[in-house]
Amino acid sequence: MRKHPLPHGKDPRGRRPAPDHRLAPPHLPARLPSRRAAGPLLGLACAALATVVWAGSFVTSRGLHDSVPPVQQAFWRWVVALIAVAPFGARPAWRARAHVRRHGRYVLFASLLGVAVYNTLVNQAGLTTPAATMGMIMAASPVLMAVCERLAGVRLGARRTAGLLVACAGVTLLAGGGADLSAGGLWMIGAACCFAGYSALLRRRPAELGGAAFLFTTFLAGTVLLLPAQAVSLAVQGGFTPAPGTVLPLLYVGVASSAVAFFAWNKAVALIGAARAGVVYHLQPVCVALLSWAVLGERTGRPQLLCLALILGGVALGAGSGRRDVPHGAGPGSRAAGRRGDDV
């Protein structure tokens, strides 16, 4: 008599054995780490790091206003940054040279906004504007970032919008109490617009250009764009005398404020988007006020401290959103939906 094969997974009596939860497939770990949960935290940390480091660059620019001309500050800053990034980005940039040529207009525009023009305007404003005021005005750039993100179809969410408005109110009150909207203030407004445009462009970065290659390429292009202005500055204003009081600040803005901070900011935008990173950027006037008081002796009164507390509250409210920015209609694999954190 032919025996019929037993159904898979059943004993001879036809009963299915109880599952043993202690046994797990060998190829699956007991618990997978949540990369999706760690991404936003890393993005917020990178945005905070860049914001704190950039606060020092405002103080440095203000401290060098009477010893190094603005264009020369910017030029030597990016020369130092280029040297600092070269060991990590020169070879990837060379390997991606065909993609750099293909996306040449994008790279050139990003270099113009984020490297050549932005820092030159900041240095120009530092000639006449206190560092704390520079930080106050620059803190308005996240509003422009959020506008760019919304125009691109990104859902900001009620909590993030509320945090942005609260922090923006603190910046407005702070600026209304003492911001200088003379020539220096106007230079800073132009710098804020350039930085917001650069941050919005980061979401459109071609996937073929990795983080190190993109930094090296934009730093190199920005330095080349500054060469004509550097030649004019040397001819008209003359050079500066290298000394510890000039070389050390330039090393700081070249290595920390350029290589480290731009890498951290680009990674933050890739992980959490420009709008959410911009909420953290509202910490800028807080950091600048503290540094300018400690280093330059610029005082901050009680009204300014109350406004700074309002800014901190807005940052805590808006940065705590748990959902990553995804544009309307963007799938998880699309470029508009953002990239993984490991390519920056």
Side-chain angles (χ1 to χ4, degrees):
M1 180 176 180
R2 185 178 179 181
K3 296 182 179 181
H4 296 282
L6 293 174
H8 179 70
K10 292 187 178 181
D11 59 13
R13 296 183 179 180
R15 295 176 299 180
R16 188 178 300 274
D20 190 351
H21 296 285
R22 295 174 298 176
L23 300 177
H27 62 282
L28 290 178
R31 186 175 182 179
L32 292 173
S34 179
R35 183 176 180 180
R36 189 173 182 180
L41 294 178
L42 180 60
L44 293 174
C46 289
L49 173 63
T51 299
V52 172
V53 174
W54 274 330
S57 67
F58 290 115
V59 178
T60 301
S61 177
R62 179 60 177 163
L64 293 175
H65 75 281
D66 57 352
S67 57
V68 183
V71 172
Q72 296 182 40
Q73 285 187 48
F75 177 79
W76 289 112
R77 167 181 181 160
W78 295 112
V79 169
V80 173
L82 194 61
I83 296 173
V85 173
F88 312 98
R91 183 173 296 179
W94 176 253
R95 289 198 298 260
R97 60 189 182 277
H99 302 299
V100 173
R101 287 194 298 267
R102 184 181 305 124
H103 303 286
R105 286 187 296 179
Y106 171 86
V107 172
L108 187 64
F109 194 42
S111 304
L112 182 67
L113 288 180
V115 176
V117 178
Y118 162 63
N119 292 112
T120 304
L121 293 180
V122 170
N123 297 336
Q124 185 67 36
L127 294 176
T128 57
T129 307
T133 301
M134 294 167 65
M136 295 176 200
I137 299 175
M138 193 63 199
S141 59
V143 179
L144 301 175
M145 296 179 202
V147 171
C148 293
E149 291 277 77
R150 192 64 188 92
L151 291 176
V154 174
R155 300 183 182 94
L156 300 181
R159 180 173 179 176
R160 191 170 309 163
T161 302
L164 183 68
L165 292 176
V166 171
C168 186
V171 173
T172 303
L173 293 175
L174 193 60
D180 179 14
L181 293 182
S182 61
L186 296 178
W187 289 122
M188 281 306 303
I189 292 176
C193 294
C194 289
F195 182 71
Y198 170 79
S199 298
L201 281 176
L202 291 179
R203 290 295 289 265
R204 303 292 180 181
R205 175 168 65 84
E208 301 86 356
L209 296 179
F214 179 74
L215 279 186
F216 182 82
T217 304
T218 52
F219 288 3
L220 178 60
T223 305
V224 172
L225 289 172
L226 282 170
L227 275 174
Q230 169 74 358
V232 172
S233 178
L234 288 174
V236 175
Q237 300 172 303
F240 64 94
T241 302
T246 56
V247 174
L248 292 179
L250 289 175
L251 288 176
Y252 171 82
V253 296
V255 177
S257 296
S258 299
V260 176
F262 269 79
F263 182 87
W265 182 257
N266 293 359
K267 189 176 185 70
V269 173
L271 288 172
I272 60 177
R276 193 171 177 188
V279 176
V280 180
Y281 192 79
H282 275 301
L283 290 170
Q284 186 84 264
V286 181
C287 301
V288 174
L290 294 175
L291 286 175
S292 62
W293 169 76
V295 178
L296 303 177
E298 295 179 355
R299 296 183 178 180
T300 301
R302 184 175 299 177
Q304 285 80 12
L305 292 176
L306 293 176
C307 294
L308 294 181
L310 188 62
I311 294 172
L312 287 173
V315 170
L317 177 63
S321 177
R323 183 174 58 83
R324 181 175 171 171
D325 299 330
V326 178
H328 294 284
S334 66
R335 182 174 65 178
R339 297 176 183 80
R340 299 183 308 171
D342 55 358
D343 67 348
V344 178

